[in-house]
Amino acid sequence: MLRLLPSLSLLLLPLISLPTQADDDPAVARGHEIVTEADNRDKGWINTESTMKMELSNAHGDVSVRQLRTKALEVEGDGDKGLTIFDQPLDVKGTAFLTFSHALEPDDQWIYLPALKRVKRISSRNKSGPFMGSEFAYEDMASFEVEKYDYRYLRDEMLDGIDCFVVESYPRDKNSGYTRLVTWFDKAEYRAQKINYFDRKNAALKTLRFSEFKHYLDQYWRPHRMHMVNHQTGKSTVLTFDEIRFQTGLSDRDFNKNSLKRAK
Amino acid sequence: MDAFYRQLLRFRLLVVLVAIGLVLAAAFGAQKLVFKSDYRVFFGKENPQLKNFERMQKTFAKSDNALFILAPQDGNVFSPEVIEAMAWLTEQSWQLPYSTRVDSITNFQHTYAEEDDMIVEDLVFDPEALDDAEVQRIRQIALNEPLIVNRLLSPDARVAAVNVNVQLPGINLVEEVPEVVVGVRALRDQLVERYPQIDVYLSGMVMMNNTFAEASLNDSATLVPLMFLAVILLIGILVRTIGGLVATLVIIITSIAGAMGLAGWYGLFLTGPSASAPTIILTLAVADCVHILTTFYHEMRSGVEQRQALINSLKINTQPVILTSVTTAIGFLTMNFSDSPPFADLGNIVAVGVMLACVLALTLFPAMLALMPLKATARPENHNTAMDRIACFVICRRKPLLWVSVTLVLITIAQIPRNELNDDFVKYFDQSVEFRQAADFSDQHLTGMGILEIELSSGESSGINNPTYLQQAEDLANWLRQQPEVVHVNSLTDIMKRLNRNMHGDDPSYHRLPDNRELAAQYLLLYEMSLPYGLDLNNQINVDKSAIRLIATCRNLTSKQNIDLERRTKQWLAENTPELKSTIASPSLMFAHIGKRNIKSMLSGTLTALVLISVLLGCALRSLKFGLISLAPNLIPAGLAFGLWGMWVGEVGLALSVVTGMTLGIIVDDTVHFLSKYLHARRERNDSTQQAIVYAFHSVGKALWITTLVLSVGFLILSMSTFKVNADMGLLTAITIVIALVVDFILLPILILLFDKESSPTSSDNPADSAIPRQEI
């Protein structure tokens, strides 16, 4: 009469197969190949500037908006450099955030707090938490480097009429909040169309959808809308980009501690 | 009716097959019955406390948790082994099903300054390499951190805790909660195996939710067999018949299976209270069978042939069995007025079960009895000398008895106000239950389960960074900390003060709130960006940063203390933060209010039942006067029972608020039987008042005390439940039923003597002289 069967999922957890580093596994090689191709197609953009709007919603339906500008500088042989300047909410206006990202080392980060008129270096081993209270973790926003993950090609699949490769990625950083990501790359342009995130216990955590792609300089595709839904909390965040400007003349000098203060 | 029963007995085999077939079809639904392990089921959708709480959970994060309490046997949390154990447990807890957040001393996000660097890291970042100096550093920081002490660590450093928040999808609570609990227990077992020097207790809302189901399951494993044993003994001794016993057991089983099956088909969930339905149906079904069996065997013993004896018994008992079943069902249906859905479910399941038992007792039961070759050795019936003596005693001593009983009733009823409303969900389980032991241990050594979650809304976007607002939140946190009930307050302002200090090179003089809005906002931005997965501030800050949630944890409180603290907090808020909108909610607060709400809603339910039953009684007795007289013996027992309860126990809760309505339907049976026999004697036999009273005693006295015995034993067995809600309900019902018999045997005859003045010609001063009426049960 009473059904109280314990779930076996917990007991099975240690058995969930994680990828072995077998180089001879064709799926691993294929996965790596697809991601490398995607990364290669996105090389040579030199630098970009854009403005971004972030809309946060909770399960109750409350909405909150944040506005920021980003500047990025492509760095050969290492992670890119990034500068984020906050415009809204007003009480964080002028706060600027500088990142030198690295493939395997923790990123270097500095933040300028205008209220304190000081630049502070942030030393944190573990930045898998939410970015500005949104559903995007810092690691979701940080610059992408092929070396950050191991890969495995899963299958071909149609996603909303788009022919895609489906590739699984496994973070190499042990502090990552995820066990794995499943990414849909369209076959035509190798653009990430969708990412499913799985949390530390390998449960479905979030889904990110990319849309409103625009083609820049005849080469670079950029999504202008990113929609992240957290399946566990019911919260969601939409990122929209107003404009993306390429090759605006930014250089190394715009990405150091001193440039933070005058970023505005 | 005669013809109906003759046909019924003629096609007895067919009746048995059809009845069993129908019951089986109904019982098949029982496989859909599943237990819902969620304390929220106790609250209706419109419950204001629940609505507040759910809204707050949606705005911030759900606060369902499992709490591992670690008590090292040597009484010291700060040893390398114990710290290592905590780190291991913290790491592993992320793997628990639906876990979204794990908080412990080891993963506490410690912040400090080093020149212009702001460092954010786990308090224990390398648990494998702990030397004495490192252990001392951790100890020093932990014991001075308001977010840790009294929440994750006892101030004497003897007990620590790892708190796991889970986010149940809520799609299938029947399986989700047990799934978490299985994981939590497996992890506990592993921990104890690796670190046998640590005692581990499991508390938290998830463990409590699961205990609702487990306690009920244990009950059905122990109480139900016990009930069957009691029934077998009682029927064996009182009716002395194997065939009758077997038939009774079949009726009990079919009634329970049918009722539970129909509940399954209807899509009901089982909950703590509604899981006691089988026990109650069992008890009530026995009463029907006892009535029919007693008359049947009485007839057989006086030499009537089996089938005729059966028909005679049915003819005599059909009306009372139907009437009493209907009144009992009405009593249980009053539970639909309850504010707490599980009691409505219990009422409906039992009402269906009672009516099913009634139908089966009048069809399947005689058909089975007719199929069995039954014999009764003719033996002289001992005349009901005991009943006669009671009758005699009541009639002769009516004056002093009246005064004594009125005095006793008044004194006892005056004790009712001594009952204090209390729904402490921890105490819903007795001390044999693992969760209760853990909660008690936690309450004594670390932290309680009483919680006030306070949402303080600034009313403007990013308003929480306003220095005035922060100061108000800080004042509230400090005020709460001064309250004797409060053990711990979780407040964002503590983080703010720490960050302000960190940003000023850890200068202790900056351990205060930032004095401008931008500073606060920018600290928060910085801090939030440095936090790891799952340890964010979204559980205490809403999305547009207009409100924060403070959490005050208290010792396990009584409902009265809980409501009092809520009232004082509201008063403080009204006086000190009149411009801020605030909401207070929590599970313990929901339970604190449910008792009162339920009593209010049940009051109208009980009144409705009283009116319905009185009308029914008036019609059955065909007398307005006796309908009114019957009010006294129907109402007084509950009053007396609550008075006695006030003297002995003094604490009433959710469960007891439904008892009055529910017992009303049961105890009215005694009055029906007694008054109908009395009126029969007055009207048909032209007896005097006194003679008619003697007649009533003589004819139904024995059956009444037998059914009272069966019912009170049944409900007393329910009172052995480890789930206090059911246990109290059982005990108070048993008390009420016994009192009802006493009232019917003493007060009712006196009232009749008082209000139904002599009008019959053949009056006699000595009731013993009156003709002993024909035996009739």
Side-chain angles (χ1 to χ4, degrees), chain A residues 1-2 4 6-7 9-10 64 66 91 95 114-115 120-124 126 128-130 199-201 232, chain B residues 33 95-96 98-99 116-118 120 167 179 182-183 217 270 465 503 522 526 530-533 543-544:
Chain A
M1 184 158 48
L2 299 166
L4 279 178
S7 160
S9 69
L10 188 85
S64 173
R66 320 213 181 317
D91 49 20
T95 307
K120 293 276 174 186
R121 200 170 81 90
I122 311 176
S123 167
S124 165
N126 189 342
S128 48
D199 69 10
R200 288 179 184 176
K201 53 186 182 299
Q232 295 181 1
Chain B
L33 268 186
Q95 298 297 333
L96 288 170
Y98 313 114
S99 66
D116 259 350
D117 287 6
M118 155 95 177
V120 182
Q167 184 97 32
E179 197 182 334
V182 167
L217 281 181
L270 278 187
N465 297 314
M503 300 311 269
Q522 291 162 26
L526 160 69
S530 321
L531 293 173
Y533 170 75
V543 284
D544 75 343

CSV table of all heavy atoms in Angstrom, one decimal, chain A residues 1-2 4 6-7 9-10 64 66 91 95 114-115 120-124 126 128-130 199-201 232, chain B residues 33 95-96 98-99 116-118 120 167 179 182-183 217 270 465 503 522 526 530-533 543-544:
chain,number,residue,atom,x,y,z
A,1,MET,N,0.8,-1.2,0.0
A,1,MET,CA,0.0,0.0,0.0
A,1,MET,C,0.9,1.3,0.0
A,1,MET,O,0.6,2.3,-0.6
A,1,MET,CB,-0.9,0.0,1.2
A,1,MET,CG,-1.9,1.1,1.3
A,1,MET,SD,-3.3,0.7,2.3
A,1,MET,CE,-2.5,0.1,3.8
A,2,LEU,N,2.0,1.2,0.7
A,2,LEU,CA,2.8,2.4,0.8
A,2,LEU,C,4.0,2.1,-0.1
A,2,LEU,O,4.7,1.1,0.0
A,2,LEU,CB,3.3,2.6,2.2
A,2,LEU,CG,2.1,2.9,3.2
A,2,LEU,CD1,2.6,2.8,4.6
A,2,LEU,CD2,1.5,4.3,2.9
A,4,LEU,N,7.6,3.3,-0.9
A,4,LEU,CA,8.7,4.2,-0.4
A,4,LEU,C,10.0,3.6,-0.9
A,4,LEU,O,10.9,3.4,-0.1
A,4,LEU,CB,8.7,4.2,1.1
A,4,LEU,CG,7.7,5.2,1.8
A,4,LEU,CD1,7.7,5.1,3.3
A,4,LEU,CD2,8.0,6.6,1.3
A,6,PRO,N,13.5,3.5,-2.1
A,6,PRO,CA,14.6,4.5,-2.1
A,6,PRO,C,15.1,4.6,-3.5
A,6,PRO,O,15.2,3.6,-4.2
A,6,PRO,CB,15.6,3.9,-1.2
A,6,PRO,CG,15.3,2.4,-1.1
A,6,PRO,CD,13.8,2.3,-1.4
A,7,SER,N,15.5,5.7,-3.9
A,7,SER,CA,16.1,5.8,-5.2
A,7,SER,C,17.6,5.3,-5.2
A,7,SER,O,18.3,5.5,-4.2
A,7,SER,CB,16.1,7.3,-5.6
A,7,SER,OG,17.1,7.4,-6.7
A,9,SER,N,19.8,6.3,-7.3
A,9,SER,CA,20.6,7.2,-8.0
A,9,SER,C,21.9,7.6,-7.2
A,9,SER,O,23.0,7.7,-7.8
A,9,SER,CB,19.9,8.5,-8.4
A,9,SER,OG,19.6,9.2,-7.3
A,10,LEU,N,21.7,7.7,-5.9
A,10,LEU,CA,22.9,8.1,-5.1
A,10,LEU,C,24.0,7.1,-5.1
A,10,LEU,O,25.1,7.3,-5.2
A,10,LEU,CB,22.5,8.5,-3.7
A,10,LEU,CG,23.6,9.1,-2.9
A,10,LEU,CD1,23.7,10.6,-3.2
A,10,LEU,CD2,23.6,8.8,-1.5
A,64,SER,N,15.0,42.3,-12.4
A,64,SER,CA,15.9,43.3,-12.0
A,64,SER,C,16.9,43.4,-13.2
A,64,SER,O,17.3,42.5,-13.8
A,64,SER,CB,16.6,43.0,-10.7
A,64,SER,OG,17.6,43.9,-10.5
A,66,ARG,N,20.6,45.0,-14.9
A,66,ARG,CA,21.9,45.5,-14.7
A,66,ARG,C,22.4,45.9,-16.1
A,66,ARG,O,22.2,45.2,-17.1
A,66,ARG,CB,22.8,44.5,-14.1
A,66,ARG,CG,22.1,43.7,-13.0
A,66,ARG,CD,23.0,43.3,-11.9
A,66,ARG,NE,22.5,42.5,-10.8
A,66,ARG,CZ,21.4,42.7,-10.1
A,66,ARG,NH1,20.4,43.5,-10.5
A,66,ARG,NH2,21.1,41.9,-9.1
A,91,ASP,N,24.5,52.6,-8.0
A,91,ASP,CA,25.4,52.7,-6.9
A,91,ASP,C,26.7,51.9,-7.1
A,91,ASP,O,27.6,51.9,-6.4
A,91,ASP,CB,24.7,52.2,-5.6
A,91,ASP,CG,23.9,51.0,-5.7
A,91,ASP,OD1,24.2,50.2,-6.6
A,91,ASP,OD2,23.1,50.7,-4.8
A,95,THR,N,32.3,51.2,-11.3
A,95,THR,CA,33.1,50.0,-10.8
A,95,THR,C,33.7,49.3,-12.0
A,95,THR,O,32.9,49.0,-12.9
A,95,THR,CB,32.2,49.1,-9.9
A,95,THR,OG1,31.6,49.8,-8.9
A,95,THR,CG2,33.1,48.0,-9.3
A,114,PRO,N,35.1,52.8,-7.1
A,114,PRO,CA,35.1,54.3,-7.1
A,114,PRO,C,34.8,54.9,-5.8
A,114,PRO,O,35.3,55.9,-5.4
A,114,PRO,CB,34.1,54.7,-8.2
A,114,PRO,CG,33.3,53.5,-8.5
A,114,PRO,CD,34.2,52.3,-8.2
A,115,ALA,N,33.9,54.2,-5.0
A,115,ALA,CA,33.6,54.7,-3.7
A,115,ALA,C,34.8,54.7,-2.8
A,115,ALA,O,34.9,55.5,-1.8
A,115,ALA,CB,32.4,54.0,-3.1
A,120,LYS,N,41.6,46.9,-6.0
A,120,LYS,CA,41.9,45.8,-5.1
A,120,LYS,C,42.1,44.6,-6.0
A,120,LYS,O,41.4,44.4,-7.0
A,120,LYS,CB,40.7,45.5,-4.2
A,120,LYS,CG,40.4,46.6,-3.2
A,120,LYS,CD,41.3,46.4,-2.0
A,120,LYS,CE,41.2,47.6,-1.0
A,120,LYS,NZ,42.1,47.4,0.1
A,121,ARG,N,43.1,43.8,-5.6
A,121,ARG,CA,43.3,42.5,-6.3
A,121,ARG,C,42.4,41.5,-5.6
A,121,ARG,O,42.4,41.4,-4.4
A,121,ARG,CB,44.7,42.1,-6.3
A,121,ARG,CG,45.0,41.1,-7.4
A,121,ARG,CD,46.6,40.9,-7.5
A,121,ARG,NE,47.0,39.9,-6.5
A,121,ARG,CZ,47.1,38.6,-6.7
A,121,ARG,NH1,46.7,38.1,-7.9
A,121,ARG,NH2,47.5,37.8,-5.7
A,122,ILE,N,41.7,40.7,-6.4
A,122,ILE,CA,40.8,39.7,-5.7
A,122,ILE,C,41.6,38.4,-5.9
A,122,ILE,O,41.9,37.9,-7.0
A,122,ILE,CB,39.5,39.5,-6.4
A,122,ILE,CG1,38.8,40.9,-6.6
A,122,ILE,CG2,38.6,38.6,-5.6
A,122,ILE,CD1,37.5,40.8,-7.3
A,123,SER,N,41.8,37.7,-4.7
A,123,SER,CA,42.4,36.4,-4.8
A,123,SER,C,41.4,35.4,-4.3
A,123,SER,O,41.0,35.4,-3.2
A,123,SER,CB,43.6,36.4,-3.8
A,123,SER,OG,44.0,35.1,-3.7
A,124,SER,N,40.9,34.7,-5.3
A,124,SER,CA,39.9,33.7,-4.9
A,124,SER,C,40.1,32.5,-5.8
A,124,SER,O,40.3,32.6,-7.0
A,124,SER,CB,38.5,34.3,-5.2
A,124,SER,OG,37.5,33.3,-5.3
A,126,ASN,N,38.2,30.1,-6.3
A,126,ASN,CA,37.0,29.4,-6.7
A,126,ASN,C,35.9,30.4,-7.1
A,126,ASN,O,35.3,31.0,-6.2
A,126,ASN,CB,36.5,28.6,-5.5
A,126,ASN,CG,35.4,27.7,-5.9
A,126,ASN,OD1,34.8,27.9,-6.9
A,126,ASN,ND2,35.2,26.7,-5.1
A,128,SER,N,33.2,30.0,-9.0
A,128,SER,CA,32.1,29.4,-9.7
A,128,SER,C,30.7,29.9,-9.3
A,128,SER,O,29.7,29.4,-9.7
A,128,SER,CB,32.1,27.9,-9.5
A,128,SER,OG,32.3,27.6,-8.2
A,129,GLY,N,30.7,31.0,-8.5
A,129,GLY,CA,29.5,31.5,-8.0
A,129,GLY,C,28.8,32.5,-9.0
A,129,GLY,O,29.4,32.7,-10.1
A,130,PRO,N,27.6,33.0,-8.7
A,130,PRO,CA,26.9,33.8,-9.7
A,130,PRO,C,27.5,35.1,-9.9
A,130,PRO,O,28.1,35.8,-9.0
A,130,PRO,CB,25.5,33.9,-9.0
A,130,PRO,CG,25.8,33.8,-7.6
A,130,PRO,CD,26.9,32.8,-7.4
A,199,ASP,N,25.4,19.9,-12.6
A,199,ASP,CA,26.1,20.4,-11.3
A,199,ASP,C,27.0,19.3,-10.8
A,199,ASP,O,27.2,18.2,-11.4
A,199,ASP,CB,25.1,20.8,-10.3
A,199,ASP,CG,24.2,19.7,-9.7
A,199,ASP,OD1,24.6,18.5,-10.0
A,199,ASP,OD2,23.3,20.0,-9.0
A,200,ARG,N,27.6,19.5,-9.6
A,200,ARG,CA,28.6,18.6,-9.1
A,200,ARG,C,28.1,17.2,-8.8
A,200,ARG,O,28.9,16.2,-8.8
A,200,ARG,CB,29.1,19.1,-7.8
A,200,ARG,CG,30.0,20.4,-8.0
A,200,ARG,CD,30.4,20.9,-6.7
A,200,ARG,NE,31.2,22.1,-6.9
A,200,ARG,CZ,31.7,22.8,-5.9
A,200,ARG,NH1,31.5,22.5,-4.6
A,200,ARG,NH2,32.4,23.9,-6.2
A,201,LYS,N,26.8,17.1,-8.7
A,201,LYS,CA,26.3,15.7,-8.5
A,201,LYS,C,25.7,15.2,-9.8
A,201,LYS,O,24.9,14.2,-9.8
A,201,LYS,CB,25.2,15.7,-7.4
A,201,LYS,CG,24.1,16.7,-7.5
A,201,LYS,CD,23.2,16.7,-6.3
A,201,LYS,CE,22.0,17.6,-6.5
A,201,LYS,NZ,22.5,19.0,-6.7
A,232,GLN,N,16.9,24.3,-11.2
A,232,GLN,CA,16.7,23.9,-9.8
A,232,GLN,C,16.0,25.0,-9.0
A,232,GLN,O,15.2,24.7,-8.1
A,232,GLN,CB,18.0,23.5,-9.2
A,232,GLN,CG,18.6,22.3,-9.9
A,232,GLN,CD,19.9,21.9,-9.3
A,232,GLN,OE1,20.4,22.5,-8.3
A,232,GLN,NE2,20.5,20.8,-9.8
B,33,LEU,N,-2.2,4.6,-3.4
B,33,LEU,CA,-2.0,5.4,-2.2
B,33,LEU,C,-0.5,5.5,-1.8
B,33,LEU,O,0.2,4.5,-1.7
B,33,LEU,CB,-2.7,4.7,-1.0
B,33,LEU,CG,-4.1,5.1,-0.7
B,33,LEU,CD1,-4.5,4.4,0.6
B,33,LEU,CD2,-4.3,6.6,-0.6
B,95,GLN,N,27.2,15.8,-3.3
B,95,GLN,CA,26.7,14.7,-4.1
B,95,GLN,C,25.3,14.3,-3.7
B,95,GLN,O,24.7,13.4,-4.3
B,95,GLN,CB,27.6,13.6,-4.0
B,95,GLN,CG,29.0,13.9,-4.5
B,95,GLN,CD,29.0,14.2,-6.0
B,95,GLN,OE1,28.2,13.8,-6.8
B,95,GLN,NE2,30.0,15.0,-6.4
B,96,LEU,N,24.8,14.8,-2.6
B,96,LEU,CA,23.4,14.4,-2.1
B,96,LEU,C,22.4,14.8,-3.2
B,96,LEU,O,22.5,15.9,-3.7
B,96,LEU,CB,23.1,15.0,-0.8
B,96,LEU,CG,23.9,14.4,0.4
B,96,LEU,CD1,23.7,15.2,1.7
B,96,LEU,CD2,23.5,12.9,0.6
B,98,TYR,N,19.6,16.5,-5.0
B,98,TYR,CA,18.9,17.8,-5.0
B,98,TYR,C,19.7,18.8,-4.1
B,98,TYR,O,19.1,19.9,-3.8
B,98,TYR,CB,17.5,17.7,-4.5
B,98,TYR,CG,16.7,16.7,-5.2
B,98,TYR,CD1,16.2,15.5,-4.5
B,98,TYR,CD2,16.5,16.7,-6.5
B,98,TYR,CE1,15.5,14.5,-5.1
B,98,TYR,CE2,15.8,15.7,-7.2
B,98,TYR,CZ,15.3,14.6,-6.5
B,98,TYR,OH,14.6,13.7,-7.2
B,99,SER,N,20.9,18.5,-3.6
B,99,SER,CA,21.6,19.5,-2.8
B,99,SER,C,22.0,20.7,-3.6
B,99,SER,O,22.4,20.6,-4.8
B,99,SER,CB,22.8,18.9,-2.2
B,99,SER,OG,23.8,18.5,-3.2
B,116,ASP,N,46.9,45.4,-0.7
B,116,ASP,CA,45.7,45.7,-1.5
B,116,ASP,C,45.0,44.5,-2.1
B,116,ASP,O,44.2,44.7,-3.0
B,116,ASP,CB,46.1,46.7,-2.5
B,116,ASP,CG,45.8,48.2,-2.1
B,116,ASP,OD1,45.0,48.3,-1.1
B,116,ASP,OD2,46.2,49.1,-2.8
B,117,ASP,N,45.4,43.4,-1.5
B,117,ASP,CA,44.7,42.2,-2.0
B,117,ASP,C,43.5,41.8,-1.1
B,117,ASP,O,43.6,42.0,0.1
B,117,ASP,CB,45.6,41.0,-2.0
B,117,ASP,CG,46.6,41.1,-3.1
B,117,ASP,OD1,46.6,42.1,-3.8
B,117,ASP,OD2,47.4,40.1,-3.3
B,118,MET,N,42.4,41.4,-1.7
B,118,MET,CA,41.3,40.9,-0.9
B,118,MET,C,41.3,39.4,-1.2
B,118,MET,O,41.1,39.0,-2.4
B,118,MET,CB,40.1,41.6,-1.5
B,118,MET,CG,38.8,40.9,-1.2
B,118,MET,SD,38.0,41.4,0.2
B,118,MET,CE,36.6,40.5,0.2
B,120,VAL,N,39.6,35.7,-0.7
B,120,VAL,CA,38.4,35.0,-0.3
B,120,VAL,C,38.8,33.5,-0.5
B,120,VAL,O,39.1,33.1,-1.6
B,120,VAL,CB,37.3,35.4,-1.3
B,120,VAL,CG1,36.0,34.6,-0.9
B,120,VAL,CG2,37.0,36.8,-1.3
B,167,GLN,N,17.0,21.5,-2.8
B,167,GLN,CA,15.9,22.2,-3.6
B,167,GLN,C,15.2,21.1,-4.2
B,167,GLN,O,15.5,20.5,-5.3
B,167,GLN,CB,16.6,23.1,-4.7
B,167,GLN,CG,15.7,23.9,-5.5
B,167,GLN,CD,15.5,25.3,-5.0
B,167,GLN,OE1,16.5,25.8,-4.5
B,167,GLN,NE2,14.4,25.8,-5.1
B,179,GLU,N,14.4,9.9,-1.1
B,179,GLU,CA,15.6,9.8,-1.9
B,179,GLU,C,16.7,10.5,-1.2
B,179,GLU,O,17.9,10.0,-1.0
B,179,GLU,CB,15.4,10.3,-3.3
B,179,GLU,CG,16.4,10.0,-4.3
B,179,GLU,CD,16.1,10.6,-5.6
B,179,GLU,OE1,14.9,10.9,-5.9
B,179,GLU,OE2,17.0,10.8,-6.4
B,182,VAL,N,17.7,8.7,2.1
B,182,VAL,CA,18.5,7.5,1.9
B,182,VAL,C,20.0,7.9,1.7
B,182,VAL,O,20.9,7.4,2.3
B,182,VAL,CB,18.0,6.7,0.6
B,182,VAL,CG1,19.1,5.7,0.2
B,182,VAL,CG2,16.7,6.0,1.0
B,183,GLY,N,20.2,9.0,0.9
B,183,GLY,CA,21.5,9.5,0.6
B,183,GLY,C,22.2,10.0,1.9
B,183,GLY,O,23.3,9.7,2.2
B,217,LEU,N,4.5,4.6,9.1
B,217,LEU,CA,4.7,3.2,8.6
B,217,LEU,C,5.0,2.3,9.8
B,217,LEU,O,4.5,1.2,9.9
B,217,LEU,CB,6.0,3.2,7.7
B,217,LEU,CG,5.7,3.7,6.3
B,217,LEU,CD1,7.0,3.6,5.5
B,217,LEU,CD2,4.6,2.8,5.7
B,270,LEU,N,-1.5,9.8,1.4
B,270,LEU,CA,-1.5,9.5,2.8
B,270,LEU,C,-0.6,10.5,3.5
B,270,LEU,O,0.4,11.0,3.0
B,270,LEU,CB,-0.9,8.1,3.1
B,270,LEU,CG,-1.8,6.9,2.9
B,270,LEU,CD1,-1.1,5.6,3.3
B,270,LEU,CD2,-3.1,7.1,3.6
B,465,ASN,N,21.5,48.8,0.0
B,465,ASN,CA,22.8,49.4,0.2
B,465,ASN,C,22.8,50.8,0.9
B,465,ASN,O,23.8,51.3,1.3
B,465,ASN,CB,23.5,49.6,-1.2
B,465,ASN,CG,23.8,48.3,-1.8
B,465,ASN,OD1,24.3,47.3,-1.2
B,465,ASN,ND2,23.4,48.2,-3.1
B,503,MET,N,38.4,45.7,3.5
B,503,MET,CA,38.8,46.7,2.5
B,503,MET,C,39.7,47.8,3.1
B,503,MET,O,40.2,48.7,2.4
B,503,MET,CB,37.6,47.3,1.8
B,503,MET,CG,36.7,46.3,1.1
B,503,MET,SD,37.7,45.2,0.0
B,503,MET,CE,37.6,46.1,-1.5
B,522,GLN,N,29.4,48.4,-3.8
B,522,GLN,CA,30.6,48.0,-4.5
B,522,GLN,C,31.2,46.8,-3.7
B,522,GLN,O,31.8,45.9,-4.3
B,522,GLN,CB,31.5,49.1,-4.7
B,522,GLN,CG,30.9,50.1,-5.8
B,522,GLN,CD,31.5,51.5,-5.8
B,522,GLN,OE1,32.7,51.7,-5.5
B,522,GLN,NE2,30.8,52.4,-6.3
B,526,LEU,N,31.8,43.1,-5.3
B,526,LEU,CA,33.1,42.5,-5.3
B,526,LEU,C,33.0,41.1,-4.6
B,526,LEU,O,33.6,40.1,-5.1
B,526,LEU,CB,34.1,43.4,-4.5
B,526,LEU,CG,35.3,42.8,-3.9
B,526,LEU,CD1,36.3,42.4,-5.0
B,526,LEU,CD2,36.0,43.8,-3.0
B,530,SER,N,33.4,36.8,-5.9
B,530,SER,CA,34.5,36.0,-5.4
B,530,SER,C,34.0,34.7,-4.8
B,530,SER,O,34.8,33.9,-4.3
B,530,SER,CB,35.3,36.8,-4.4
B,530,SER,OG,35.4,38.1,-4.7
B,531,LEU,N,32.7,34.5,-4.8
B,531,LEU,CA,32.2,33.3,-4.1
B,531,LEU,C,32.1,32.1,-5.0
B,531,LEU,O,31.8,32.2,-6.2
B,531,LEU,CB,30.8,33.6,-3.5
B,531,LEU,CG,30.8,34.7,-2.4
B,531,LEU,CD1,29.3,35.1,-2.1
B,531,LEU,CD2,31.5,34.2,-1.2
B,532,PRO,N,32.3,30.9,-4.4
B,532,PRO,CA,32.2,29.7,-5.2
B,532,PRO,C,30.7,29.3,-5.4
B,532,PRO,O,29.8,29.8,-4.8
B,532,PRO,CB,32.9,28.7,-4.3
B,532,PRO,CG,32.8,29.2,-3.0
B,532,PRO,CD,32.7,30.7,-3.0
B,533,TYR,N,30.6,28.3,-6.3
B,533,TYR,CA,29.3,27.7,-6.6
B,533,TYR,C,28.6,27.3,-5.3
B,533,TYR,O,29.1,26.7,-4.4
B,533,TYR,CB,29.6,26.5,-7.4
B,533,TYR,CG,28.3,25.6,-7.6
B,533,TYR,CD1,27.4,26.0,-8.5
B,533,TYR,CD2,28.2,24.4,-6.9
B,533,TYR,CE1,26.2,25.3,-8.7
B,533,TYR,CE2,27.0,23.7,-7.1
B,533,TYR,CZ,26.1,24.1,-8.0
B,533,TYR,OH,24.9,23.4,-8.2
B,543,VAL,N,16.5,39.6,-6.0
B,543,VAL,CA,17.2,39.9,-7.3
B,543,VAL,C,17.5,41.4,-7.5
B,543,VAL,O,18.5,41.8,-8.0
B,543,VAL,CB,16.5,39.4,-8.6
B,543,VAL,CG1,16.7,37.9,-8.7
B,543,VAL,CG2,15.0,39.8,-8.6
B,544,ASP,N,16.5,42.3,-7.2
B,544,ASP,CA,16.8,43.7,-7.4
B,544,ASP,C,17.4,44.4,-6.2
B,544,ASP,O,17.4,45.6,-6.1
B,544,ASP,CB,15.6,44.4,-8.1
B,544,ASP,CG,14.6,44.7,-7.1
B,544,ASP,OD1,14.6,44.1,-6.0
B,544,ASP,OD2,13.7,45.6,-7.3
